[in-house]
Every structure is written in C-alpha cells, then in structure tokens.
Amino acid sequence: MNVLLAVRMYVSKMIQDSGPGMKVLLMDRETIGIVSVAYAQSEILQKEVYLFEQIDKSGNGPIMKHLKCVVFLRPSQENVQLLASELKSPRYGVYYIYFSGIISKASIKVLAESDEQEVVREIQEFYADFFAVGPHLFSLNLEKPINGMEWNPNCLQRSVQGVLSVLLSLKKNPIIRYQNFSSLARRLAENIRDTILKESSLFHFHRGESIPLLLILDRRCDPITPLLNQWTYQAMVHELLSIKNNRVSLVGVPGAPKDMSEVLLSAEQDEFYANNMYLNFGDIGQTIKSLMDEFQMKAKSHQKVESIADMKAFVENYPQFKKMSGAVTKHVTLVGELSRLVTQHNLLEVSEAEQELACQEEHTQSLAKIRKLLVTDQIRDLDAARLVFLYAIRYHKHPSKDIVGLVDLLRRRGTSAKLIECVEGILRYASSGETAGSSVLNTKDVTKITEKIFKGLKGVENVFTQHSPVLKEILDNMVKGRLTEETFPTVGGESTPGRIQDVVVFIVGGVTHEESLAVHQFCRVNTGFRIALGGTLIHNSQSFISDVEAAVKSLPAGNAKYPHNSVSSGSGRHSKLT
C-alpha cells in the first residue's frame, strides 16, 4: 500500500524497459510533476536519461536520432494529438510510450496511423496518474474542484481517473463506500464503480479473505482541521511557507542563501526530513541542534589535511560532507524562518485560541480572547479572519453568539473585503455539510492545549496541540465495525466483509498534513491495517479558504442551511440571512 513506491517502480520500469543507451524523457505538465515528486533529477540522470522535454513545447526541437525517447503522458485527447504530430515527424530514433491511465482504442488507432516510420516500439498503460507525496499520501493537485456545491465536470473526471490509477497501481479491486450526506462523494463513488465494471478485465485482482475498501469522504465533514495552525514540521512548513510538489520557495526569506531560492523536501531524498517530518516544532529545535553539532565536528575534521592519507579521506568523504552541508543549511534556514514567523505573528497565542475553539466548550472565554486578539496589530489579517471562521463554525447556533460583532472588528482593523465576505462563505460551506448524525462539533473531547518550550535552542517554541481530525474518529469506528450502512452506504449493494485490512481514503475537497499524521499514527497502533490517504489537493489554510470561496460561489441562499446572522462586507450595514 505504498503509493510512492508504486510510482517509483513504474518510472524505473519504463526507463529500464527501453534498454541501455542515452534517453530523453518526454512528458506533459502533470506527468513532469508526478515524476519529480517521486524522483530527484539526479536519480533520473543516473538511469541514462540526459534530456527532459515537455510535449507541448518540444515541437521545434533538434533532431537527435541517436537518442531513445521514453514518453510518459496523461491519456488526454490533447496529449494524443501532440504525440501523433511528434510521431509523424519523429525527432528521436525509437519511442517507448507509456500512458498514466486507461487509454482508449480510438487514441491508439490515431497513434498507430501516425507512426508511418515505425519508430514506436511499445505502448503501455502505467498507472501513475497521481502525485505520490509520501508512502501513504497522494494528491491530484486540483484547485477549486467544486463550484456552487457541484463538481466541476473536468475535476470530477480527473478525480475518477486519479483514484482508479491509485487502485490499479496498488492492485486493489475494492468495495466502495461514501459519506451519505454528500452528493459529491456519492457521484464520485458511482462514477468510479461504473468505470471498474466497464474495465473489469483490469480489475481482476484476487480479493482473498479481506476485501479492500475505498472510502470517499467530503471535506465538509471537518472544515475545522484545514483552518488550524500546524505544529509538526511538515505541516508547519506547508502552512507558513507552502509546499508544492515537495518543493518550498525561499524567495524573500530573510537570510536565505542566494543559491537556495527553492528547496526540496522529500523523505526519499532527505534523511533528516524523513526522520523529523512528523515531530513537533519544539523537538525539531533539538534535532536541528544535534545536526549542527555533528556537522561542526565533521567540518573540523575536514580542516585537518596534513598528509596524503588525510587528502585521500577528504576526497572520499567530500560528497557526503557536501550533501550534509546542504541539508544543514536547508533545515536551519527553514526552521529559522518558521521560528521568525511564529514570533512575528504571535502564532502561539493565536493557536491557543484556535485550540480552545476547536476542542473546548468555553464560549464566553473564547469570545473574549478572540476580541482581544482582533485588536492586536501583531497578528496577521489571515489569522484574525481564521479565528472568526472557527468561531462562526463552532458557535453559530449558540444563543449568545456574536458573529456580527467579530466581523465588525475585522472591518475596523482594515481586513480585506474578500476575507470578511469569506466568513459567510465558510459558514455556508460548513452548514451544507452538517447532518443530524455527523456534526463534527459534538465529537470533540474537552482538552486543553499545552505549551512546550524547548530550552536547548533559543528562540524555538512549540505548541503541542491536542486537536485531532474527524478522520481519526472515522478510522477508529471503521476498526470497531461501527461505520453503518446508513452513514456510509456501499455502492452497488456489495456487502462489507467482516475484516478490513487495506483501505484507500479519498477526501473530496482536499486533505491536510494533520490528517496524514493521523493515518501515520493510526497504522503504527493498528499494525494489521494499511491505509493510503489522498484528496483533490493537500491544503493549508489559504488554499482551503480559496476552495471554499469557489465552492459556495453562486450558491443560492435557499440551498444552505443558514439559520444564523452574519454581515455584508460592502456597506458596513448588518444584515440577517435566512
């Protein structure tokens, strides 16, 4: 159930099957991302791939018949036409063609007719149509897939293809269940089921005693998790700096080396990151300090070059030393910037207020704390707005709620009209996901946030959050056999087996690194389970807010369960919404 290993094996096999010799890798925009997430460029170069090209930009390139061309494309109509044009006037000696998903017979016919010079050696389907961010985490990189609480048709098709690709790469023919309140989850589930039946010859995998499960969830079942500040290393980097295809931009980061405008964060390529991605921020301070101490000791040993033996040892160890130097610089820069942002934007106090909103039943206390923070210049407008979003979701049915008053405070501090309007949007989004039996807000234990200041490295502070996502509760219920047919219906009327072992969870509307951590922890405790987790996108708070804006845009007022007061951002006048 390792999605990253599945993609790596596909990429390795397509290069290996083309045989020895110099190669060019011809891809499209998406497959470039899919490959770069799974492999470092240096690894690909070691496999005799010396040139990388994007098919929509390669038309006028030089003719190099001495190169073999390994083609890896999504099976879209546009790509088929571009490849057909390439084959009519081939620039390379031979072509090995691989599609990341199911290719139609009509498309194969188009390519066959274009291959007049018979340069194509093979055409295969290699099911790597998703971004494998980690061993158990994948994304489809779809922004704003929902409009007016309906699927964008292209995004629905892409989601079907992506999830099918995950299933085929893992060799699973699953039972499919979805959240009953969500027409979005139901539609995706039914489309996936229809395609599996249509392509039954591909899904011939033996199920055995334990039948795999595909569980399709809707982001609206837990709108709180994407709005919270994060305090584990990976999640924190994504929230404050943003990770895209395992890369982080350091442009504009004070003190960042000039030759380090972008860094790679991949557990496959970076041992320190692999060992520390799930650690809380305070513990990262300790490990960074240990890494620095180790590096300084090695640096001192390299300064002592007095004999031929010393020179030989220096030359032999230099590549490893250079790699370690880069890792130290990268992580010290990242942790330093995270620490700076935490202090500059008062994120400890903000996060404490968020945790109380998410986990406690203290309306009066939380309201007072939010009011105090909203008049503080030190916190960002984004953080101020997120506090109001969380309050609105948490207390919109409370008799003493004051959403209007908090929105007024946002306006007074000069918060953008877009963020103010989003208070209403977030509330409409969350309300459209509420059902009598699935309210996320009644499932939280009363917990108190704890702070842990690590003293070994000055300036690094870490808040140990106690919030746990709804996904954890769903997985716990799955283990105990408590996912009822009423709440999580099965597509096609198949009966769910008594024992579940392999589970693919897909969240319509996006997944978070906090949920990825929950899966990681769940599988460590429940060793008999293997889980792959994915979503339309991997969210931080900003991408989630952007998705919500698109989801509720043009949604008629009557379509939302909206029994609460809010405020319009334009004129400053209060208005009642029903």
Side-chain angles (χ1 to χ4, degrees), residues 156-176:
L156 174 60
Q157 183 185 17
R158 179 68 183 91
S159 296
V160 171
Q161 293 168 337
V163 175
L164 286 170
S165 181
V166 170
L167 296 174
L168 287 166
S169 68
L170 298 175
K171 297 179 170 53
K172 303 299 177 188
N173 180 12
I175 280 177
I176 305 171

Side-chain angles (χ1 to χ4, degrees), residues 192-241:
I192 290 171
R193 177 65 179 167
D194 289 346
T195 309
I196 288 176
L197 292 174
K198 181 181 176 184
E199 304 288 347
S200 57
S201 60
L202 294 175
F203 289 87
H204 59 273
F205 316 115
H206 179 62
R207 282 179 167 178
E209 294 180 10
S210 175
I211 299 180
L213 172 66
L214 170 61
L215 187 61
I216 300 177
L217 309 179
D218 189 316
R219 180 74 267 163
R220 289 175 293 166
C221 77
D222 182 5
I224 286 179
T225 296
L227 290 171
L228 297 173
N229 266 301
Q230 301 299 318
W231 296 97
T232 55
Y233 191 31
Q234 181 187 42
M236 199 175 178
V237 172
H238 189 45
E239 176 59 36
L240 296 178
L241 297 174

Side-chain angles (χ1 to χ4, degrees), residues 429-491:
Y429 180 87
S431 297
S432 67
E434 276 187 8
T435 65
S438 69
S439 178
V440 49
L441 305 173
N442 297 327
T443 63
K444 301 300 177 188
D445 295 326
V446 178
T447 55
K448 186 171 182 179
I449 191 169
T450 61
E451 290 188 5
K452 176 184 175 185
I453 308 299
F454 182 77
K455 297 178 181 178
L457 189 65
K458 192 176 179 182
V460 176
E461 296 145 340
N462 177 40
V463 175
F464 233 160
T465 60
Q466 295 302 306
H467 171 266
S468 61
V470 171
L471 177 62
K472 182 179 182 300
E473 184 182 340
I474 291 172
L475 294 177
D476 288 340
N477 285 334
M478 179 190 71
V479 170
K480 297 168 185 174
R482 294 179 181 171
L483 293 185
T484 66
E485 190 68 22
E486 181 183 0
T487 311
F488 291 91
T490 305
V491 179

Side-chain angles (χ1 to χ4, degrees), residues 234-431:
Q234 181 187 42
M236 199 175 178
V237 172
H238 189 45
E239 176 59 36
L240 296 178
L241 297 174
S242 189
I243 305 172
K244 185 167 184 181
N245 290 349
N246 285 349
R247 284 164 172 75
V248 182
S249 173
L250 295 180
V251 174
V253 170
K258 291 182 180 178
D259 61 344
M260 200 174 275
S261 60
E262 184 179 81
V263 295
L264 178 69
L265 275 185
S266 167
E268 286 289 314
Q269 317 299 330
D270 186 331
E271 186 180 357
F272 178 86
Y273 183 63
N275 293 334
N276 296 283
M277 58 196 288
Y278 295 129
L279 283 189
N280 68 72
F281 195 49
D283 292 334
I284 287 293
Q286 169 68 3
T287 53
I288 280 284
K289 188 173 185 297
S290 300
L291 186 67
M292 280 292 294
D293 292 344
E294 183 186 351
F295 176 70
Q296 286 170 352
M297 286 178 63
K298 289 194 175 182
K300 285 179 182 177
S301 70
H302 275 275
Q303 290 172 358
K304 184 182 177 182
V305 182
E306 297 175 349
S307 66
I308 296 296
D310 290 339
M311 290 180 188
K312 184 181 178 185
F314 176 84
V315 171
E316 288 175 350
N317 295 326
Y318 184 75
Q320 188 179 357
F321 175 77
K322 188 72 175 173
K323 184 178 179 181
M324 187 180 183
S325 172
V328 170
T329 304
K330 173 171 66 176
H331 291 292
V332 167
T333 302
L334 285 171
V335 172
E337 177 62 5
L338 295 178
S339 185
R340 183 185 74 84
L341 293 171
V342 166
T343 303
Q344 180 177 331
H345 301 309
N346 201 17
L347 294 183
L348 286 174
E349 195 173 350
V350 170
S351 186
E352 185 176 351
E354 291 174 356
Q355 289 294 313
E356 288 179 3
L357 281 168
C359 303
Q360 297 187 19
E361 293 279 354
E362 297 287 347
H363 174 262
T364 304
Q365 182 180 320
S366 288
L367 183 57
K369 187 168 285 189
I370 296 169
R371 283 172 174 161
K372 179 185 172 185
L373 285 169
L374 292 188
V375 296
T376 303
D377 292 335
Q378 191 178 359
I379 74 167
R380 300 175 298 177
D381 284 348
L382 173 65
D383 296 319
R386 285 194 298 110
L387 285 169
V388 179
F389 298 160
L390 289 165
Y391 175 86
I393 294 170
R394 186 71 177 80
Y395 291 114
H396 67 265
K397 293 180 180 177
H398 196 281
S400 302
K401 65 182 177 292
D402 189 19
I403 300 173
V404 171
L406 293 179
V407 170
D408 197 43
L409 285 176
L410 284 180
R411 185 178 292 108
R412 288 183 193 178
R413 61 176 281 134
T415 306
S416 70
K418 190 175 181 181
L419 277 174
I420 291 172
E421 288 170 0
C422 206
V423 176
E424 180 181 319
I426 289 280
L427 206 44
R428 288 163 70 85
Y429 180 87
S431 297

